Amino acid sequence: MTEYRPERRLHQTAHAVLHPPPPPPEEKTVAFAPCISVRDTAASIAFYENLGFDVDSSTARPGDDLHLLLHQGEFCAMIYSNGDLKNWLPVLADTPIGFAGMFYLGVDDLDAAYQHISRHAEIVKPLTDHHGQRMFYFRDPDGYVIGVNDRNLLKASDDLAEHA
C-alpha cells in the first residue's frame, strides 16, 4: 500500500496549476460559406473531383441535392441542385445560374495547380501578377469563375495577412 504523503499531493496540485493540460483543439468555423447553384450535380461533382477536390455527399437527399466541396481536406463551398435550391429559397426562382463575381481558392503550389486545372477547365485569365500576388482564373461548367492564388503569399501579404 502506498504511503500518503501530503507534500507529494501539494507538489502534484502545484504542477497541475502551473502546467495545465492544453485546451481542446478549437473547431474551425467558416465565416462565409458559398453555396453555388448548379444545373447537374453529378456533372459538377465529376468536374471538381477531376480538378482534385473531394466531395462529401452525406447531406444529399432526394429533393435536397446538396453536396459539400472540400479542397485539401478543408470545406470551401456547397454545390446545390438549381431546382432544389430554388424550391428551398423561392426568392431565387428568377435568378440565373452563375453570377457577376468570383470565388478564390488558396493553394500551396500555384504552378502545379495551374498545370493540373488548365488540362481540365477553361482558363479565363492565365497566370498573372497582381500587386505581388500570382493568380489565375478558371470557369466551372455552370459559369462560376474561380480565382486561384498562392495561399502562403496571401498570408504573407501586408495588405491581406490579417484576413487570410
Side-chain angles (χ1 to χ4, degrees), residues 104 110 125-137 149 153-154 157 159-160:
Y104 280 95
L110 186 64
K125 186 172 186 108
L127 274 171
T128 187
D129 189 306
H130 184 68
H131 301 292
Q133 294 293 320
R134 290 180 61 227
M135 59 189 69
F136 69 94
Y137 296 81
N149 57 33
L153 286 177
L154 183 64
S157 166
D159 296 332
L160 299 173

Side-chain angles (χ1 to χ4, degrees), residues 9-150:
R9 178 89 170 134
L10 180 61
H11 175 74
Q12 289 172 336
T13 302
H15 185 271
V17 169
L18 294 173
H19 306 286
E26 292 184 33
E27 288 186 29
K28 285 186 176 182
T29 58
V30 178
F32 186 80
C35 180
I36 59 176
S37 173
V38 300
R39 284 178 199 81
D40 179 341
T41 53
S44 292
I45 288 169
F47 174 81
Y48 282 104
E49 286 179 333
N50 201 30
L51 296 182
F53 288 78
D54 293 314
V55 176
D56 177 349
S57 296
S58 63
T59 59
R61 301 197 181 3
D64 196 21
D65 196 10
L66 177 67
H67 307 266
L68 305 179
L69 190 60
L70 309 168
H71 183 260
Q72 296 179 347
E74 293 184 25
F75 168 83
C76 60
M78 293 172 274
I79 297 172
Y80 209 164
S81 162
N82 185 54
D84 292 347
L85 174 62
K86 290 177 178 181
N87 284 335
W88 175 248
L89 286 174
V91 70
L92 298 175
D94 296 326
T95 305
I97 294 175
F99 67 101
M102 70 205 88
F103 297 106
Y104 280 95
L105 174 68
V107 298
D108 292 323
D109 186 340
L110 186 64
D111 293 312
Y114 182 80
Q115 291 303 316
H116 180 72
I117 291 171
S118 66
R119 289 192 303 267
H120 303 286
E122 174 193 2
I123 301 296
V124 297
K125 186 172 186 108
L127 274 171
T128 187
D129 189 306
H130 184 68
H131 301 292
Q133 294 293 320
R134 290 180 61 227
M135 59 189 69
F136 69 94
Y137 296 81
F138 70 92
R139 185 184 328 266
D140 85 349
D142 291 289
Y144 294 100
V145 174
I146 297 150
V148 182
N149 57 33
D150 184 317

